[in-house]
Amino acid sequence: MSEIMYMINGAIYAVFLHNLLFSGGLGASEMLRAAQRNSEIVLTSALISVFSAVSALLNLGVNVLLTSQRDILEWLSWRYGIFSAQLPGMQVVWHAFIFAFILLVLYLLVNLVVHFLPASKHKLLFQKRIGAAALNTLVISIPLLLHLRANTSIGFALGMGLGAGVAFYVVTLLVNSGMHVLRQNKAIPTQFSGVPATLVYTGLLALAFTGFAGGLSLF
């Protein structure tokens, strides 16, 4: 039961308290692009959730494994400077390389599974969105964010991973709805219609989400 609560807390943290699309602008360009195509919002969000959750759990396992081998890590750090005993497991740069490698393997596995699916418009859409979802998972970097936290549990890591996709879905859906309203608003001057109005609207949404974090994302 405690892990379920940790998972819920991790998801809420990813969606509201630390929404990286708004607080850091990570993945914002893909979010704006997906907001213009209703058919891609759900699929892209789901793929980001899967990639983020699985990679977060695998990276957490790797970190636990390396942390358990403290003596070996300290020797490698002293002999070759590869790992550092000052961080819980490994240096952030090595963690980033491992995260990228795990994500690459997941990307290839998903592509392999989709390749054997019967030909259809859904298969083409999957093939089109897998790369974008994997790239945005790398940009959002939930495993690296978890690596910088102390005492991260399996439930919290899973919640953060799933929450990344939910955050992408919520933000993209809000921007999509706003773009629809803005297109119908005839009071907007011609110079500010389209992209300028969308950016202003997105900035206001970012300020609203920043309020959930108490303004800490701004300063």
Side-chain angles (χ1 to χ4, degrees):
M1 189 65 181
S2 60
E3 288 299 328
I4 295 178
M5 294 304 300
Y6 280 128
M7 184 175 66
I8 294 174
N9 289 337
I12 293 175
Y13 181 77
V15 177
F16 297 106
L17 299 182
H18 201 82
N19 192 310
L20 293 174
L21 279 88
F22 278 154
S23 65
L26 303 181
S29 59
E30 179 62 24
M31 175 269 295
L32 290 172
R33 199 200 66 79
Q36 302 177 48
R37 296 172 172 83
N38 293 336
S39 60
E40 298 182 2
I41 297 177
V42 175
L43 179 59
T44 305
S45 303
L47 287 172
I48 290 176
S49 281
V50 172
F51 282 136
S52 295
V54 175
S55 60
L57 292 177
L58 291 177
N59 276 269
L60 184 62
V62 170
N63 195 38
V64 171
L65 177 63
L66 291 176
T67 303
S68 65
Q69 304 298 323
R70 175 66 65 180
D71 294 339
I72 297 177
L73 292 175
E74 290 180 350
W75 182 81
L76 289 173
S77 177
W78 169 78
R79 184 66 177 82
Y80 300 105
I82 297 179
F83 297 105
S84 173
Q86 297 177 351
L87 289 177
M90 60 184 122
Q91 292 178 343
V92 176
V93 62
W94 281 98
H95 201 96
F97 277 118
I98 292 176
F99 165 48
F101 176 76
I102 290 175
L103 185 58
L104 176 61
V105 173
L106 291 175
Y107 167 74
L108 294 175
L109 288 176
V110 173
N111 263 299
L112 183 62
V113 172
V114 174
H115 175 74
F116 289 103
L117 293 177
S120 66
K121 64 177 182 179
H122 299 294
K123 178 180 178 178
L124 293 176
L125 183 60
F126 259 103
Q127 292 174 328
K128 179 181 178 182
R129 301 312 305 155
I130 291 173
L135 180 60
N136 279 269
T137 301
L138 183 65
V139 171
I140 295 174
S141 301
I142 293 297
L144 295 183
L145 184 63
L146 290 169
H147 177 67
L148 299 177
R149 288 178 55 89
N151 303 320
T152 298
S153 66
I154 294 177
F156 193 88
L158 181 59
M160 278 283 290
L162 296 175
V166 176
F168 185 91
Y169 175 77
V170 170
V171 172
T172 306
L173 198 63
L174 288 173
V175 174
N176 175 271
S177 301
M179 291 170 67
H180 178 71
V181 173
L182 290 173
R183 281 194 295 265
Q184 295 179 329
N185 192 337
K186 304 300 182 182
I188 299 176
T190 306
Q191 296 85 347
F192 290 97
S193 62
V195 175
T198 301
L199 292 177
V200 171
Y201 169 72
T202 305
L204 293 175
L205 282 178
L207 287 175
F209 270 76
T210 301
F212 288 111
L216 294 180
S217 298
L218 288 177
F219 306 103

